[in-house]
Amino acid sequence: SLHTERLELPERVSRSLAERGGSRARDIERDSGGVQFRLNVGGRIPTADLFGSAGAVQQALRLLQQRHAHAALCLPAAATMWMFGHGGGRVVKEIEEACAGVSVHLGEAEDASGSRLVEAVGPSTAVEKAAAMLRAWAAPAARREVSQLLLARLAPKGVALGASS
């Protein structure tokens, strides 16, 4: 009997599946044992429709989770500046090289809390490793930012911080 499943996909995952003429979606079709995979990227939220036997659809879902995992992190803007900015994104390149198959992307704008969205897409174990590395890189920047804010609040008015007398 025909089984169908509709999935809402993060935009970065839908882009990854559609790249190279949809070859990654065709890989899912082939490796799942006969699922038909239809990617719908024209709507507000990208979706994927899977059609096939119940077993093939379940296998396709497992393959999607394994090969096209997604992590979205809100990181301090100061940290993302270091990761993506100066030096052409050296930190991001190091993370992508250390986590084979992962691509790391910076969201469009800073939110009201001073954070930026950073996304990682790729094989599930590599995405988990990349997310941990991104958090580790962001932690020192977050501590520096908080330290500067605390120093500014604790200093008496008119006193320059960090100046030696």
Side-chain angles (χ1 to χ4, degrees):
S1 83
L2 183 64
H3 186 77
T4 62
E5 186 81 30
R6 173 169 276 185
L7 305 170
E8 289 184 358
L9 300 172
E11 187 176 333
R12 295 277 181 204
V13 172
S14 69
R15 286 184 194 172
S16 173
L17 289 165
E19 286 175 350
R20 292 187 240 153
S23 66
R24 291 178 176 151
R26 286 192 304 279
D27 290 345
I28 299 288
E29 287 179 326
R30 182 192 64 234
D31 298 342
S32 66
V35 155
Q36 290 183 345
F37 191 105
R38 187 172 66 211
L39 190 59
N40 309 303
V41 294
R44 189 175 58 83
I45 298 173
T47 61
D49 294 321
L50 307 174
F51 306 94
S53 69
V57 168
Q58 289 304 309
Q59 178 63 11
L61 292 170
R62 279 191 291 278
L63 291 170
L64 278 169
Q65 289 173 341
Q66 290 171 357
R67 297 178 184 174
H68 302 282
H70 176 260
L73 308 162
C74 286
L75 300 177
T80 62
M81 181 178 65
W82 285 99
M83 288 180 207
F84 290 87
H86 308 293
R90 180 186 57 83
V91 171
V92 170
K93 288 176 187 170
E94 287 177 13
I95 291 171
E96 289 178 339
E97 287 172 7
C99 305
V102 164
S103 60
V104 178
H105 307 274
L106 181 63
E108 293 299 317
E110 187 174 328
D111 67 12
S113 71
S115 295
R116 295 281 303 263
L117 179 68
V118 177
E119 297 175 278
V121 177
S124 59
T125 54
V127 166
E128 290 172 15
K129 181 178 177 182
M133 291 176 77
L134 287 163
R135 284 186 200 99
W137 271 100
R143 284 194 294 272
R144 281 191 304 273
E145 196 172 280
V146 168
S147 295
Q148 291 299 324
L149 290 171
L150 285 174
L151 284 173
R153 287 193 176 140
L154 294 174
K157 289 187 182 210
V159 174
L161 295 176
S164 55
S165 40

